[in-house]
Amino acid sequence: MKRLYTFFMAAALCLSSNAATPINVVNGISQELAVSRAAIVGNITYDLTFNIPASKTEAVKGNATITFIYKGGKTDLQLDFQGAPSQFDGLCVVNGKQIAVAWQDEHILIPRKSLRRGKNIISMSFISGDKSLNRNADYLYTLFVPEHARSVFPCFDQPDLKALFRTRLNVPEGWETITSVSTERIPTYLFSFVAGKFSKQTQERNGRTFTALYRETDAKKVAQLDTVFDIADHSIRWFEDYTGIKYPFSSYGFVVLPGYQFGGMEHPGAIQFTDHEIFLGEHPTPEELQTRVELIAHETAHCWFGDDVTMRWFNDVWTKEVFANFLTSKIAKQLFPDVNHDLNFLRMYQTRALSTDRT
Ligand SMILES: [Zn+2]
């Protein structure tokens, strides 16, 4: 992600440090809850259906089937679901039996005695909260980083519980959709779906298929997608060469969003970009051209740094950002040889680094 550092730092600083056994049920996901869950839950698959209505005032409803391996625990299992009051009916099917469960402080409490060691299957219907759905008149997009997936569906909303996501979106006729990858394990903060009235382009580069969804209608701007696909392809091949690791995911797609709140976000298979850094004016400045390369390369770098290799907890989120920026600067240096990159580095980072250092 570009430009979310303060947000993450705030999240990291809010961690509760008074661990209790058993883990208390409180709002949010404490590091203690995350650590205790990672020890007993694994191999997660989410089968998710979302029914998305045409009207943004009508609720998004869904069904979740969560399959996981459970190693046993001393207390009821906390499944994260935030929603809003009355958005969950308190019924779950756990291993074939329908039971009533408590929904308390943003967690669905799955009774310990309903679970068994080994494979468990929990399913339920739910109504999504709107806060991370970014709903517009004829489209929506999810943005769950760092732990907002639980506002939309029940899940284990922590970065080290990676899962397979199989997603079915029921959408109004004529709407396009894109979801993050379904064949590789990713954390909940990297899961995403987008649905709405979008134009779609698919292009091939070096044997790989690239997909773009966009709402831009200016033909001259849309024609810039050729360049965007070129930059994405160049970045992928550069990172493959540099790391010696093949592109880790089965697809590369992105959506260009008007008025997007950040520069981009690295959901694998469904990267989100802000439109004004992708579709440039008729006479872009050298800075705009370089910023576009850096944005695409940065989000592509995350496919290795952050998406494939993920921090265990958000106190290490800086590592993926630093690796993404560091390697992106190498690409920019090669593609823009006339720019004084060292001077730019001094201007952009040195002073800030030193003033942080003084603290
Ligand atoms: Zn980033």
Side-chain angles (χ1 to χ4, degrees), residues 170-181:
N170 295 321
V171 299
E173 208 177 323
W175 282 29
E176 293 284 354
T177 63
I178 191 168
T179 63
S180 42
V181 290

Side-chain angles (χ1 to χ4, degrees), residues 195-216:
K197 289 188 178 163
F198 288 94
S199 301
K200 184 176 182 175
Q201 260 197 46
T202 298
Q203 290 195 20
E204 301 279 328
R205 294 285 188 284
N206 293 295
R208 180 174 277 108
T209 303
F210 294 80
T211 304
L213 293 191
Y214 55 96
R215 289 175 61 84
E216 182 59 58

Side-chain angles (χ1 to χ4, degrees), residues 1-2 266 298 302 321:
M1 160 168 288
K2 294 275 275 185
E266 65 264 23
H298 178 102
H302 277 311
E321 298 305 331

Side-chain angles (χ1 to χ4, degrees), residues 149-164:
R150 66 202 170 92
S151 70
V152 170
F153 64 97
C155 57
F156 300 107
D157 209 359
Q158 61 188 77
D160 59 345
L161 284 180
K162 289 186 167 186
L164 293 175

Side-chain angles (χ1 to χ4, degrees), residues 1-5 8 264-266 295 298-299 301-302 305 317 320-322 324-325:
M1 160 168 288
K2 294 275 275 185
R3 297 172 193 157
L4 197 61
Y5 314 117
F8 272 123
M265 180 62 206
E266 65 264 23
L295 173 62
H298 178 102
E299 303 309 336
H302 277 311
F305 303 96
V317 76
K320 73 178 178 71
E321 298 305 331
V322 168
N325 276 348

Side-chain angles (χ1 to χ4, degrees), residues 91-144:
L91 292 175
C92 283
V93 176
V94 181
N95 296 319
K97 280 188 193 158
Q98 182 166 297
I99 57 171
V101 292
W103 183 36
Q104 182 189 332
D105 298 316
E106 305 178 352
H107 303 282
I108 296 170
L109 304 180
I110 307 296
R112 183 170 60 111
K113 60 179 190 300
S114 68
L115 298 167
R116 55 196 177 210
R117 284 174 189 268
K119 184 179 171 185
N120 287 261
I121 303 175
I122 301 176
S123 57
M124 69 211 75
S125 56
F126 58 85
I127 301 175
S128 302
D130 272 347
K131 82 168 190 182
S132 298
L133 288 176
N134 299 286
R135 301 185 74 177
N136 294 273
D138 53 5
Y139 70 100
L140 61 77
Y141 62 92
T142 68
L143 183 57
F144 294 150

Side-chain angles (χ1 to χ4, degrees), residues 236-249:
I236 286 177
R237 288 186 292 113
W238 194 95
F239 288 116
E240 283 184 334
D241 184 54
Y242 187 89
T243 62
I245 299 168
K246 286 278 173 203
Y247 177 68
F249 299 101

